[in-house]
Amino acid sequence: MPMGYWPLLIVSGNATSLSHLEPFEFQCLPRGYVQPIVLNVRFNDHCFTTGFDPTKHDPLDILPTLLVTKTEKRVFCPDRYNLSFQLPELIKAFCGKRIASTRDGNLVRVESPDGQSYAIFFTMRKQSATRVNLFVVSAYPIGPGKKVAYTGEMKFDIALAKILRGEKAKFPNR
């Protein structure tokens, strides 16, 4: 049997599947295009981990480096993991959403069914004339009163068209 994109994760002695975060593809119609293009989606471990804090976490909980970069120490985060089950469907709904630009990429903020704000940070890179790679850098709940700094907003389909034309998705000031 072929191994999945993510290895089985052992958390506190329990096997934890990440199969819901396997890479997938979906189609979206960029603004001004007549045919949909394919978005190839992949996820970073920041969708189910948080940074190691020695005041909160046991060093034994640091995940193996095969899941994270060698310079970064991360631990499993149950809140991020539980919310990550929604990610594939939320991403497939980006086509009609407004997205914002942050220093490190793009952001979509959605409300989870329980009314909690959930931030999804991602980057997009043109792969070919009809394909774009969408990489989910991080996704996490935003606590009450917390804000995410961003520069401006635009519709996802406009940003997608700019990426396909080889332009930088320059966001208008807010």
Side-chain angles (χ1 to χ4, degrees):
M1 181 167 113
M3 191 156 157
Y5 182 77
W6 293 106
L8 192 62
L9 186 61
I10 306 300
V11 178
S12 300
N14 297 313
T16 303
S17 173
L18 299 170
S19 62
H20 63 287
L21 296 178
E22 287 292 313
F24 71 93
E25 294 180 341
F26 74 104
Q27 293 186 343
C28 183
L29 183 64
R31 179 75 53 96
Y33 282 61
V34 294
Q35 294 291 324
I37 61 99
V38 175
L39 285 120
N40 177 21
V41 180
R42 294 201 185 296
F43 300 92
N44 191 10
D45 63 353
H46 287 220
C47 296
F48 58 88
T49 66
T50 192
F52 173 73
D53 179 345
T55 64
K56 296 179 187 174
H57 305 116
D58 185 324
L60 296 174
D61 291 336
I62 295 172
L63 294 175
T65 56
L66 94 109
L67 290 174
V68 296
T69 65
K70 291 181 172 131
T71 59
E72 190 175 22
K73 294 178 181 171
R74 298 198 59 88
V75 296
F76 181 77
C77 177
D79 291 338
R80 288 185 185 207
Y81 176 75
N82 290 331
L83 284 168
S84 73
F85 283 90
Q86 300 175 40
L87 280 171
E89 291 307 312
L90 291 172
I91 290 165
K92 290 174 189 173
F94 277 7
C95 293
K97 295 246 183 258
R98 292 191 71 75
I99 64 172
S101 175
T102 66
R103 283 179 295 140
D104 301 320
N106 300 310
L107 158 73
V108 170
R109 186 192 330 234
V110 295
E111 293 288 319
S112 63
D114 63 1
Q116 185 176 35
S117 282
Y118 187 37
I120 305 167
F121 296 88
F122 63 97
T123 60
M124 291 190 292
R125 303 274 184 266
K126 179 179 177 178
Q127 182 181 355
S128 71
T130 60
R131 297 181 72 83
V132 168
N133 293 328
L134 188 152
F135 182 64
V136 181
V137 177
S138 188
Y140 55 84
I142 302 172
K146 293 207 175 189
K147 293 187 178 184
V148 177
Y150 65 92
T151 60
E153 294 184 347
M154 75 171 58
K155 290 268 191 160
F156 181 81
D157 63 324
I158 294 172
L160 191 54
K162 287 178 179 254
I163 297 292
L164 285 165
R165 290 192 302 263
E167 300 172 16
K168 191 164 176 107
K170 204 159 184 156
F171 285 70
N173 292 332
R174 49 178 198 150

